[in-house]
Amino acid sequence: MASQPASNPFTHIPGLSKEELARRYTQWAEQQKYEHDLREEVYKGPAIVADVMINLFPEEKSRKDIYILDVAAGTGFVAEKLIQEGFEKFDALEPSEGLLNLAIAKGIYSKTFQTFITDTPTYIESDSYDVVIVCGGFGENHIPCSGLDEFIRLVKPGGHVVIAMSETFLTSVLEYKDRLEPRMKRLEDDGKWVSIRRTVVPRYFDVYNGVVFVFQVSK
């Protein structure tokens, strides 16, 4: 699920259940509008994340061994960008059946998980990944603040969590306002991870700025 301002107002109604949200994304996919509405000239999040990953892993020859979990993978925009830069190992987590089916058809993921990030840990094994990427997965009714703990659980010590989201959601989404960044800081204070960068990026989606967080997991 890639959630951006004005990309699809039917996914931004407060109070939707997670099941209804996933159904709406599936409907968006089945109408064959999702990939058009989030085409690269409008939605630059995947390209921004690719630049972050290039900087994290400057040695191109090492990129093929980096095992990545693409959370809220949608139809695979981020993985497609990373493949162009030499990354090869991807799994996808995506709750929308319609989006996930489109991603599976591209043949870029080793494993796929049709599940939600919630307050309860997923069934994915701990310490499985070098990097967890979340591009567009934070928004109204989307990943809760508690999802940060799950990302830490899934990443190996020394690995990274990369989060890209619309900057406006930090204040416009009640779940995140005065809660998401304080939780990030509390996890750092507790020794769970270290903040590497927080960067505001222009025109992340259409005219809206984005914000990118990069953490190194310590546990």
Side-chain angles (χ1 to χ4, degrees):
M1 297 187 294
S3 169
Q4 317 304 332
S7 61
N8 186 338
F10 299 108
T11 62
H12 282 273
I13 300 172
L16 291 179
S17 69
K18 61 184 185 299
E19 292 82 9
E20 174 62 16
L21 183 65
R23 188 193 69 79
R24 292 183 182 213
Y25 273 103
T26 291
Q27 183 180 32
W28 195 5
E30 290 175 347
Q31 292 171 343
Q32 299 183 341
K33 294 181 179 180
Y34 180 89
E35 295 205 332
H36 174 267
D37 292 346
L38 297 184
R39 60 197 181 277
E40 186 171 355
E41 58 263 37
V42 177
Y43 178 38
K44 297 180 174 60
I48 291 167
V49 167
D51 287 341
V52 170
M53 290 290 285
I54 290 167
N55 289 326
L56 277 178
F57 302 98
E59 293 293 330
E60 187 170 352
K61 63 183 180 181
S62 70
R63 294 175 190 166
K64 63 182 178 61
D65 298 319
I66 304 301
Y67 197 3
I68 299 165
L69 179 64
D70 186 2
V71 173
T75 61
F77 290 149
V78 172
E80 288 177 306
K81 276 291 181 186
L82 292 177
I83 286 169
Q84 296 174 17
E85 304 299 337
F87 296 91
E88 298 180 3
K89 298 175 65 176
F90 306 93
D91 291 347
L93 185 151
E94 170 55 56
S96 163
E97 181 179 9
L99 295 182
L100 192 59
N101 285 341
L102 291 176
I104 290 170
K106 295 178 180 180
I108 54 181
Y109 294 108
S110 299
K111 292 186 287 188
T112 58
F113 307 99
Q114 187 184 339
T115 190
F116 298 91
I117 297 292
T118 67
D119 294 340
T120 303
T122 64
Y123 51 84
I124 304 171
E125 187 175 350
S126 298
D127 300 334
S128 292
Y129 297 97
D130 299 299
V131 184
V132 163
I133 288 172
V134 192
C135 184
F138 283 82
E140 190 71 64
N141 312 305
H142 287 62
I143 295 172
C145 294
S146 59
L148 302 176
D149 301 76
E150 177 67 355
F151 304 151
I152 290 171
R153 185 185 73 80
L154 295 173
V155 172
K156 304 171 186 175
H160 294 83
V161 176
V162 178
I163 297 170
M165 62 183 290
S166 295
E167 184 185 26
T168 184
F169 289 162
L170 292 172
T171 53
S172 67
V173 175
L174 187 61
E175 169 69 14
Y176 307 147
K177 186 178 180 181
D178 300 323
R179 297 184 71 239
L180 183 61
E181 290 194 273
R183 189 168 188 131
M184 291 173 172
K185 180 63 167 60
R186 187 163 66 251
L187 288 167
E188 184 168 24
D189 292 343
D190 291 344
K192 299 296 186 180
W193 63 11
V194 176
S195 176
I196 303 299
R197 62 180 280 193
R198 179 197 189 278
T199 308
V200 175
V201 290
R203 301 187 70 88
Y204 168 80
F205 179 84
D206 196 15
V207 299
Y208 297 92
N209 290 345
V211 59
V212 178
F213 301 94
V214 181
F215 299 95
Q216 186 167 31
V217 172
S218 47
K219 300 183 183 177

